[in-house]
Amino acid sequence: MIRLAIQKSGRLSEDSLNLIRECGISFINSSLKLKTEATNFPLEILFLRDDDIPGYVADGVADIGIVGENVLVEEGKQELAIQKLGFSKCRLSIAVPKSAEYRNIQDLQDKNLATSYPNLLQAYLTQQGVTANIHTISGSVEIAPSIGLADAICDIVSSGSTLISNGLREVESVFRSEAVLISNTELTAEKTRILNQLVFRIQSVRKAQKAKYILLNAPNEAIPTIKSLLPGMKAPSILPLAEEGWSSVHSVVNEDDFWEIIEKLREAGAQGILVVPIEKMIL
Ligand SMILES: Nc1ncnc2c1ncn2[C@@H]1O[C@H](COP(=O)(O)OP(=O)(O)OP(=O)(O)O)[C@@H](O)[C@H]1O
Ligand SMILES: O=P(O)(O)OC[C@H]1O[C@H](OP(=O)(O)OP(=O)(O)O)[C@H](O)[C@@H]1O
Ligand SMILES: [Mg+2]
């Protein structure tokens, strides 16, 4: 049995649980229970505060965990990371009151900055050659300038709406983060085997999330052009349609290239294009 630590309640929780479920792992989840066992995979799940997860995994209290890279690097435990997970994407940014004059990072020299990430912020300031006073607070950082606690803040930004609601303006991006799977570095052979199984499933789910299954109809003379636009996993499937001179083409496209490819397909003569999600993808 392998022990996975995930955030009990917060920005990582729902996507972490969904990922485990998409890997075909079932468990009973009650908000009051801080520990649960999967029913069809050798996995135990611990529900913890996210800040505690890197430490628990480093000490072996948990074998693996899911945490934001911002917390992992802040705690100096980046060597535990084994796989990016693509959710909880955010950035750690410096923001100043929107009316404050700000030209460049030198304007922060000797200023007071409030943050929950003193190490990441200090590393950034040092790299930029700026000395400032860092005040570490554990939450509601965006309030600090308006109550006279700091001249600027350094905190997590995603949509930017929290900054706007608090009269702040983003001026420097310090660190980019997403959720990451971490692992203790001294797992037993048996636990390593279970972890590899889990990572294989996670990678299949992640590949499928980016990929779309595409079906379309096209006149036969357009097939060579369409084939070159849709390489597929190996090659597209081309099946004759019930109508003379027409074929149906099935393939896989990457979400990132999706719109560009669709336009080119239409130009080439494709019609009745259907795009459907893929649940799992094993290459
Ligand atoms: N607005 C956001 N959008 C996307 N990801 C975010 C956002 N805010 C935070 N995150 C990511 O999710 C992680 C957890 O954020 P959350 O705000 O839930 O933490 P927390 O308040 O410290 O929770 P805990 O109670 O577990 O200590 C952050 O470390 C960051 O990686
Ligand atoms: O740019 P935005 O989309 O507004 O997101 C940024 C906010 O999200 C996080 O807080 P969260 O809402 O998770 O609450 P918390 O402070 O209680 O952790 C983070 O600490 C910011 O305050
Ligand atoms: Mg926390």
Side-chain angles (χ1 to χ4, degrees):
M1 168 102 55
I2 198 166
R3 261 189 174 175
L4 166 72
I6 62 171
Q7 189 187 25
K8 178 177 182 296
S9 118
R11 294 278 188 163
L12 294 158
S13 309
E14 199 183 327
D15 286 338
S16 301
L17 288 173
N18 286 344
L19 178 65
I20 302 304
R21 288 202 183 95
E22 281 164 13
C23 288
I25 299 174
S26 308
F27 51 90
I28 294 164
N29 180 26
S30 127
S31 60
L32 297 176
K33 240 180 128 199
L34 298 179
K35 204 168 77 166
T36 189
E37 257 181 47
T39 52
N40 59 354
F41 194 82
L43 179 79
E44 183 176 48
I45 306 175
L46 309 183
F47 297 91
L48 304 171
R49 289 288 304 274
D50 70 338
D51 318 61
D52 296 333
I53 293 175
Y56 280 173
V57 170
D59 297 346
V61 174
D63 302 305
I64 56 176
I66 296 178
V67 73
E69 287 173 300
N70 52 317
V71 167
L72 189 67
V73 177
E74 175 65 24
E75 296 183 15
K77 300 213 161 53
Q78 47 274 42
E79 75 280 1
L80 304 179
I82 54 169
Q83 165 85 52
K84 291 196 192 226
L85 299 175
F87 60 84
S88 296
K89 286 192 176 172
C90 57
R91 54 197 186 274
L92 184 67
S93 291
I94 298 176
V96 298
K98 68 173 186 285
S99 54
E101 196 176 307
Y102 185 91
R103 284 151 304 175
N104 57 45
I105 187 92
Q106 302 304 327
D107 289 336
L108 296 176
Q109 180 68 34
D110 299 324
K111 292 279 168 54
N112 295 313
L113 273 75
T115 188
S116 306
Y117 299 93
N119 296 327
L120 282 168
L121 176 57
Q122 184 60 65
Y124 182 76
L125 293 176
T126 304
Q127 182 209 333
Q128 301 290 323
V130 170
T131 314
N133 307 311
I134 298 178
H135 300 269
T136 306
I137 55 178
S138 56
S140 300
V141 174
E142 291 93 345
I143 204 177
S146 69
I147 58 171
L149 202 66
D151 303 302
I153 63 145
C154 177
D155 199 19
I156 298 293
V157 182
S158 172
S159 65
S161 53
T162 307
L163 291 185
I164 292 171
S165 307
N166 289 283
L168 298 170
R169 174 163 65 99
E170 186 175 359
V171 292
E172 301 280 337
S173 177
V174 170
F175 188 80
R176 290 199 171 271
S177 177
E178 66 184 80
V180 63
L181 181 69
I182 61 173
S183 168
N184 179 275
T185 50
E186 286 163 11
L187 293 186
T188 62
E190 181 56 15
K191 285 182 176 179
T192 304
R193 195 185 59 78
I194 302 170
L195 173 60
N196 289 342
Q197 262 181 8
L198 182 66
V199 170
F200 175 75
R201 291 192 191 190
I202 289 174
Q203 285 172 347
S204 303
V205 170
R206 297 257 296 125
K207 278 183 201 126
Q209 281 166 347
K210 282 202 167 182
K212 301 279 175 240
Y213 193 75
I214 179 166
L215 305 92
L216 59 87
N217 297 330
N220 289 344
E221 58 272 19
I223 296 298
T225 315
I226 290 176
K227 254 172 88 177
S228 68
L229 292 168
L230 290 176
M233 286 170 74
K234 207 178 195 95
S237 313
I238 298 173
L239 315 161
L241 269 194
E243 189 169 325
E244 186 76 17
W246 283 73
S247 296
S248 169
V249 181
H250 298 203
S251 192
V252 173
V253 289
N254 188 303
E255 194 173 45
D256 300 336
D257 312 324
F258 179 71
W259 287 111
E260 205 187 334
I261 291 181
I262 295 293
E263 270 168 34
K264 289 187 179 150
L265 289 172
R266 290 185 58 204
E267 279 164 25
Q271 295 180 7
I273 304 173
L274 297 181
V275 178
V276 285
I278 297 174
E279 198 179 290
K280 309 274 186 315
M281 199 160 144
I282 291 121
L283 297 181

